[in-house]
Amino acid sequence: MIEVDSRGRRCPLPIIDLARAMPGVKVGEVVRVLADDPAAANDIPAWCRMKGQEYLGSPEADAYEVRKVK
């Protein structure tokens, strides 16, 4: 699992961090984004829908998991 630490960064920076990490991620791998900005709870699933990636949910507070599907 790849981890992107965006704690302390406000919207839209967690999304930008996630997008920048994706080219280095293999299809099927999971990226965990650590983000304490409350907007991330809506922004990360929305980004996944727009980019065709799979949002796996938030397994713990301030953590969001995304699987690269394409």
Side-chain angles (χ1 to χ4, degrees), residues 15 18-19 22 39-57 64-70:
I15 297 302
L18 172 59
M22 291 306 272
N42 293 320
D43 291 350
I44 292 174
W47 182 87
C48 290
R49 286 190 301 274
M50 289 189 312
K51 298 298 183 179
Q53 304 302 343
E54 182 182 3
Y55 177 63
L56 299 176
Y64 307 89
E65 293 184 353
V66 176
R67 176 176 288 123
K68 184 171 183 173
V69 295
K70 61 178 186 173

mmCIF file of all heavy atoms in Angstrom, residues 15 18-19 22 39-57 64-70:
data_model
loop_
_atom_site.group_PDB
_atom_site.id
_atom_site.type_symbol
_atom_site.label_atom_id
_atom_site.label_comp_id
_atom_site.label_asym_id
_atom_site.label_seq_id
_atom_site.Cartn_x
_atom_site.Cartn_y
_atom_site.Cartn_z
ATOM 1 N N ILE A 15 -6.215 16.359 -2.742
ATOM 2 C CA ILE A 15 -6.560 15.794 -4.051
ATOM 3 C C ILE A 15 -5.381 15.924 -5.006
ATOM 4 O O ILE A 15 -5.075 15.004 -5.775
ATOM 5 C CB ILE A 15 -7.808 16.489 -4.628
ATOM 6 C CG1 ILE A 15 -9.013 16.242 -3.724
ATOM 7 C CG2 ILE A 15 -8.090 16.029 -6.053
ATOM 8 C CD1 ILE A 15 -9.368 14.795 -3.507
ATOM 9 N N LEU A 18 -2.887 13.275 -4.130
ATOM 10 C CA LEU A 18 -3.333 11.974 -4.616
ATOM 11 C C LEU A 18 -3.108 11.856 -6.120
ATOM 12 O O LEU A 18 -2.559 10.859 -6.592
ATOM 13 C CB LEU A 18 -4.813 11.774 -4.284
ATOM 14 C CG LEU A 18 -5.507 10.553 -4.881
ATOM 15 C CD1 LEU A 18 -4.834 9.257 -4.452
ATOM 16 C CD2 LEU A 18 -6.987 10.555 -4.509
ATOM 17 N N ALA A 19 -3.504 12.870 -6.863
ATOM 18 C CA ALA A 19 -3.353 12.840 -8.320
ATOM 19 C C ALA A 19 -1.885 12.729 -8.719
ATOM 20 O O ALA A 19 -1.554 12.004 -9.664
ATOM 21 C CB ALA A 19 -3.984 14.089 -8.931
ATOM 22 N N MET A 22 -0.613 9.044 -8.311
ATOM 23 C CA MET A 22 -1.203 7.974 -9.118
ATOM 24 C C MET A 22 -0.344 7.477 -10.278
ATOM 25 O O MET A 22 -0.359 6.269 -10.547
ATOM 26 C CB MET A 22 -2.591 8.396 -9.623
ATOM 27 C CG MET A 22 -3.625 8.493 -8.511
ATOM 28 S SD MET A 22 -3.786 6.993 -7.517
ATOM 29 C CE MET A 22 -4.999 6.107 -8.474
ATOM 30 N N ALA A 39 -13.034 18.463 4.278
ATOM 31 C CA ALA A 39 -13.505 18.412 2.888
ATOM 32 C C ALA A 39 -13.038 17.148 2.173
ATOM 33 O O ALA A 39 -13.663 16.714 1.195
ATOM 34 C CB ALA A 39 -13.035 19.643 2.128
ATOM 35 N N ALA A 40 -11.974 16.523 2.647
ATOM 36 C CA ALA A 40 -11.459 15.313 1.998
ATOM 37 C C ALA A 40 -12.488 14.190 1.987
ATOM 38 O O ALA A 40 -12.504 13.378 1.063
ATOM 39 C CB ALA A 40 -10.181 14.852 2.684
ATOM 40 N N ALA A 41 -13.352 14.153 2.983
ATOM 41 C CA ALA A 41 -14.371 13.093 3.056
ATOM 42 C C ALA A 41 -15.298 13.124 1.845
ATOM 43 O O ALA A 41 -15.828 12.086 1.442
ATOM 44 C CB ALA A 41 -15.177 13.220 4.350
ATOM 45 N N ASN A 42 -15.510 14.281 1.271
ATOM 46 C CA ASN A 42 -16.327 14.404 0.056
ATOM 47 C C ASN A 42 -15.470 14.476 -1.196
ATOM 48 O O ASN A 42 -15.835 13.938 -2.237
ATOM 49 C CB ASN A 42 -17.205 15.660 0.129
ATOM 50 C CG ASN A 42 -18.256 15.551 1.204
ATOM 51 O OD1 ASN A 42 -18.859 14.512 1.401
ATOM 52 N ND2 ASN A 42 -18.464 16.639 1.925
ATOM 53 N N ASP A 43 -14.345 15.146 -1.093
ATOM 54 C CA ASP A 43 -13.511 15.391 -2.270
ATOM 55 C C ASP A 43 -12.859 14.134 -2.826
ATOM 56 O O ASP A 43 -12.781 13.959 -4.048
ATOM 57 C CB ASP A 43 -12.417 16.409 -1.948
ATOM 58 C CG ASP A 43 -12.964 17.806 -1.711
ATOM 59 O OD1 ASP A 43 -14.165 18.031 -1.985
ATOM 60 O OD2 ASP A 43 -12.194 18.669 -1.251
ATOM 61 N N ILE A 44 -12.380 13.259 -1.968
ATOM 62 C CA ILE A 44 -11.682 12.061 -2.454
ATOM 63 C C ILE A 44 -12.639 11.112 -3.178
ATOM 64 O O ILE A 44 -12.342 10.678 -4.295
ATOM 65 C CB ILE A 44 -10.875 11.386 -1.330
ATOM 66 C CG1 ILE A 44 -9.711 12.325 -0.942
ATOM 67 C CG2 ILE A 44 -10.369 10.006 -1.757
ATOM 68 C CD1 ILE A 44 -8.903 11.872 0.246
ATOM 69 N N PRO A 45 -13.827 10.799 -2.618
ATOM 70 C CA PRO A 45 -14.758 9.957 -3.387
ATOM 71 C C PRO A 45 -15.186 10.612 -4.705
ATOM 72 O O PRO A 45 -15.310 9.931 -5.721
ATOM 73 C CB PRO A 45 -15.951 9.778 -2.446
ATOM 74 C CG PRO A 45 -15.416 10.026 -1.088
ATOM 75 C CD PRO A 45 -14.316 11.028 -1.255
ATOM 76 N N ALA A 46 -15.374 11.936 -4.699
ATOM 77 C CA ALA A 46 -15.769 12.633 -5.928
ATOM 78 C C ALA A 46 -14.660 12.546 -6.969
ATOM 79 O O ALA A 46 -14.932 12.318 -8.160
ATOM 80 C CB ALA A 46 -16.111 14.091 -5.620
ATOM 81 N N TRP A 47 -13.412 12.711 -6.553
ATOM 82 C CA TRP A 47 -12.282 12.602 -7.478
ATOM 83 C C TRP A 47 -12.238 11.198 -8.081
ATOM 84 O O TRP A 47 -12.012 11.043 -9.285
ATOM 85 C CB TRP A 47 -10.977 12.930 -6.744
ATOM 86 C CG TRP A 47 -9.781 12.880 -7.624
ATOM 87 C CD1 TRP A 47 -9.272 13.887 -8.391
ATOM 88 C CD2 TRP A 47 -8.927 11.747 -7.851
ATOM 89 N NE1 TRP A 47 -8.156 13.461 -9.072
ATOM 90 C CE2 TRP A 47 -7.929 12.148 -8.761
ATOM 91 C CE3 TRP A 47 -8.908 10.443 -7.370
ATOM 92 C CZ2 TRP A 47 -6.927 11.280 -9.189
ATOM 93 C CZ3 TRP A 47 -7.914 9.588 -7.810
ATOM 94 C CH2 TRP A 47 -6.946 10.007 -8.704
ATOM 95 N N CYS A 48 -12.464 10.190 -7.258
ATOM 96 C CA CYS A 48 -12.461 8.806 -7.752
ATOM 97 C C CYS A 48 -13.529 8.599 -8.815
ATOM 98 O O CYS A 48 -13.268 7.964 -9.848
ATOM 99 C CB CYS A 48 -12.660 7.829 -6.600
ATOM 100 S SG CYS A 48 -11.257 7.714 -5.480
ATOM 101 N N ARG A 49 -14.717 9.114 -8.586
ATOM 102 C CA ARG A 49 -15.794 8.993 -9.583
ATOM 103 C C ARG A 49 -15.399 9.690 -10.885
ATOM 104 O O ARG A 49 -15.607 9.149 -11.974
ATOM 105 C CB ARG A 49 -17.103 9.580 -9.049
ATOM 106 C CG ARG A 49 -17.782 8.714 -8.004
ATOM 107 C CD ARG A 49 -19.184 9.200 -7.681
ATOM 108 N NE ARG A 49 -19.217 10.571 -7.173
ATOM 109 C CZ ARG A 49 -19.051 10.915 -5.898
ATOM 110 N NH1 ARG A 49 -18.832 9.981 -4.985
ATOM 111 N NH2 ARG A 49 -19.120 12.185 -5.539
ATOM 112 N N MET A 50 -14.829 10.872 -10.794
ATOM 113 C CA MET A 50 -14.459 11.633 -11.993
ATOM 114 C C MET A 50 -13.313 10.973 -12.763
ATOM 115 O O MET A 50 -13.268 11.043 -13.989
ATOM 116 C CB MET A 50 -14.052 13.057 -11.619
ATOM 117 C CG MET A 50 -15.206 13.915 -11.175
ATOM 118 S SD MET A 50 -14.794 15.670 -10.959
ATOM 119 C CE MET A 50 -13.305 15.622 -10.011
ATOM 120 N N LYS A 51 -12.394 10.331 -12.045
ATOM 121 C CA LYS A 51 -11.202 9.753 -12.679
ATOM 122 C C LYS A 51 -11.311 8.255 -12.933
ATOM 123 O O LYS A 51 -10.378 7.644 -13.443
ATOM 124 C CB LYS A 51 -9.964 10.027 -11.811
ATOM 125 C CG LYS A 51 -9.665 11.502 -11.653
ATOM 126 C CD LYS A 51 -9.349 12.133 -13.002
ATOM 127 C CE LYS A 51 -8.974 13.593 -12.869
ATOM 128 N NZ LYS A 51 -8.647 14.198 -14.151
ATOM 129 N N GLY A 52 -12.425 7.644 -12.550
ATOM 130 C CA GLY A 52 -12.619 6.225 -12.798
ATOM 131 C C GLY A 52 -11.810 5.320 -11.893
ATOM 132 O O GLY A 52 -11.481 4.203 -12.273
ATOM 133 N N GLN A 53 -11.498 5.794 -10.704
ATOM 134 C CA GLN A 53 -10.765 4.981 -9.726
ATOM 135 C C GLN A 53 -11.757 4.461 -8.674
ATOM 136 O O GLN A 53 -12.870 4.968 -8.557
ATOM 137 C CB GLN A 53 -9.647 5.795 -9.078
ATOM 138 C CG GLN A 53 -8.674 6.411 -10.053
ATOM 139 C CD GLN A 53 -7.962 5.422 -10.961
ATOM 140 O OE1 GLN A 53 -7.920 4.225 -10.711
ATOM 141 N NE2 GLN A 53 -7.389 5.921 -12.040
ATOM 142 N N GLU A 54 -11.371 3.458 -7.929
ATOM 143 C CA GLU A 54 -12.262 2.833 -6.957
ATOM 144 C C GLU A 54 -11.996 3.378 -5.554
ATOM 145 O O GLU A 54 -10.905 3.198 -5.012
ATOM 146 C CB GLU A 54 -12.057 1.319 -6.959
ATOM 147 C CG GLU A 54 -12.973 0.588 -6.002
ATOM 148 C CD GLU A 54 -12.736 -0.911 -5.983
ATOM 149 O OE1 GLU A 54 -11.817 -1.392 -6.680
ATOM 150 O OE2 GLU A 54 -13.471 -1.590 -5.263
ATOM 151 N N TYR A 55 -13.014 4.032 -4.991
ATOM 152 C CA TYR A 55 -12.917 4.517 -3.616
ATOM 153 C C TYR A 55 -13.266 3.359 -2.693
ATOM 154 O O TYR A 55 -14.346 2.785 -2.783
ATOM 155 C CB TYR A 55 -13.873 5.691 -3.393
ATOM 156 C CG TYR A 55 -13.868 6.192 -1.986
ATOM 157 C CD1 TYR A 55 -12.723 6.737 -1.428
ATOM 158 C CD2 TYR A 55 -15.005 6.113 -1.199
ATOM 159 C CE1 TYR A 55 -12.710 7.195 -0.118
ATOM 160 C CE2 TYR A 55 -15.000 6.572 0.105
ATOM 161 C CZ TYR A 55 -13.855 7.109 0.638
ATOM 162 O OH TYR A 55 -13.841 7.559 1.937
ATOM 163 N N LEU A 56 -12.347 2.992 -1.820
ATOM 164 C CA LEU A 56 -12.547 1.844 -0.928
ATOM 165 C C LEU A 56 -13.123 2.235 0.422
ATOM 166 O O LEU A 56 -13.539 1.370 1.184
ATOM 167 C CB LEU A 56 -11.219 1.107 -0.724
ATOM 168 C CG LEU A 56 -10.586 0.546 -1.995
ATOM 169 C CD1 LEU A 56 -9.234 -0.082 -1.674
ATOM 170 C CD2 LEU A 56 -11.506 -0.464 -2.656
ATOM 171 N N GLY A 57 -13.122 3.516 0.732
ATOM 172 C CA GLY A 57 -13.703 3.967 1.987
ATOM 173 C C GLY A 57 -12.665 4.551 2.923
ATOM 174 O O GLY A 57 -11.502 4.767 2.561
ATOM 175 N N TYR A 64 -8.181 7.615 3.911
ATOM 176 C CA TYR A 64 -9.051 7.296 2.781
ATOM 177 C C TYR A 64 -8.277 6.397 1.836
ATOM 178 O O TYR A 64 -7.115 6.671 1.538
ATOM 179 C CB TYR A 64 -9.476 8.584 2.060
ATOM 180 C CG TYR A 64 -10.077 9.587 3.007
ATOM 181 C CD1 TYR A 64 -9.264 10.515 3.651
ATOM 182 C CD2 TYR A 64 -11.428 9.570 3.310
ATOM 183 C CE1 TYR A 64 -9.792 11.427 4.564
ATOM 184 C CE2 TYR A 64 -11.969 10.474 4.204
ATOM 185 C CZ TYR A 64 -11.142 11.397 4.834
ATOM 186 O OH TYR A 64 -11.674 12.277 5.734
ATOM 187 N N GLU A 65 -8.929 5.331 1.363
ATOM 188 C CA GLU A 65 -8.234 4.382 0.507
ATOM 189 C C GLU A 65 -8.828 4.355 -0.895
ATOM 190 O O GLU A 65 -10.046 4.336 -1.055
ATOM 191 C CB GLU A 65 -8.247 2.991 1.141
ATOM 192 C CG GLU A 65 -7.422 2.955 2.413
ATOM 193 C CD GLU A 65 -7.306 1.581 3.040
ATOM 194 O OE1 GLU A 65 -7.977 0.635 2.569
ATOM 195 O OE2 GLU A 65 -6.542 1.470 4.016
ATOM 196 N N VAL A 66 -7.934 4.341 -1.866
ATOM 197 C CA VAL A 66 -8.297 4.372 -3.275
ATOM 198 C C VAL A 66 -7.531 3.262 -3.990
ATOM 199 O O VAL A 66 -6.315 3.150 -3.816
ATOM 200 C CB VAL A 66 -7.920 5.741 -3.896
ATOM 201 C CG1 VAL A 66 -8.192 5.750 -5.395
ATOM 202 C CG2 VAL A 66 -8.641 6.881 -3.201
ATOM 203 N N ARG A 67 -8.247 2.457 -4.787
ATOM 204 C CA ARG A 67 -7.590 1.434 -5.608
ATOM 205 C C ARG A 67 -7.492 1.947 -7.040
ATOM 206 O O ARG A 67 -8.480 2.406 -7.610
ATOM 207 C CB ARG A 67 -8.357 0.121 -5.598
ATOM 208 C CG ARG A 67 -7.721 -0.925 -6.533
ATOM 209 C CD ARG A 67 -8.385 -2.265 -6.488
ATOM 210 N NE ARG A 67 -8.046 -2.906 -5.217
ATOM 211 C CZ ARG A 67 -8.942 -3.322 -4.330
ATOM 212 N NH1 ARG A 67 -10.224 -3.204 -4.563
ATOM 213 N NH2 ARG A 67 -8.569 -3.882 -3.220
ATOM 214 N N LYS A 68 -6.307 1.840 -7.606
ATOM 215 C CA LYS A 68 -6.118 2.245 -8.999
ATOM 216 C C LYS A 68 -6.682 1.154 -9.894
ATOM 217 O O LYS A 68 -6.284 -0.002 -9.788
ATOM 218 C CB LYS A 68 -4.644 2.490 -9.308
ATOM 219 C CG LYS A 68 -4.431 3.010 -10.717
ATOM 220 C CD LYS A 68 -3.014 3.460 -10.931
ATOM 221 C CE LYS A 68 -2.866 4.049 -12.325
ATOM 222 N NZ LYS A 68 -1.531 4.643 -12.505
ATOM 223 N N VAL A 69 -7.615 1.518 -10.759
ATOM 224 C CA VAL A 69 -8.237 0.537 -11.635
ATOM 225 C C VAL A 69 -7.895 0.761 -13.105
ATOM 226 O O VAL A 69 -8.199 -0.083 -13.934
ATOM 227 C CB VAL A 69 -9.768 0.466 -11.444
ATOM 228 C CG1 VAL A 69 -10.095 -0.036 -10.062
ATOM 229 C CG2 VAL A 69 -10.422 1.795 -11.700
ATOM 230 N N LYS A 70 -7.319 1.922 -13.420
ATOM 231 C CA LYS A 70 -6.899 2.153 -14.820
ATOM 232 C C LYS A 70 -5.744 3.101 -14.860
ATOM 233 O O LYS A 70 -5.401 3.751 -13.937
ATOM 234 C CB LYS A 70 -8.039 2.656 -15.681
ATOM 235 C CG LYS A 70 -8.644 3.979 -15.234
ATOM 236 C CD LYS A 70 -9.722 4.360 -16.205
ATOM 237 C CE LYS A 70 -10.259 5.741 -15.882
ATOM 238 N NZ LYS A 70 -11.174 6.208 -16.857
#
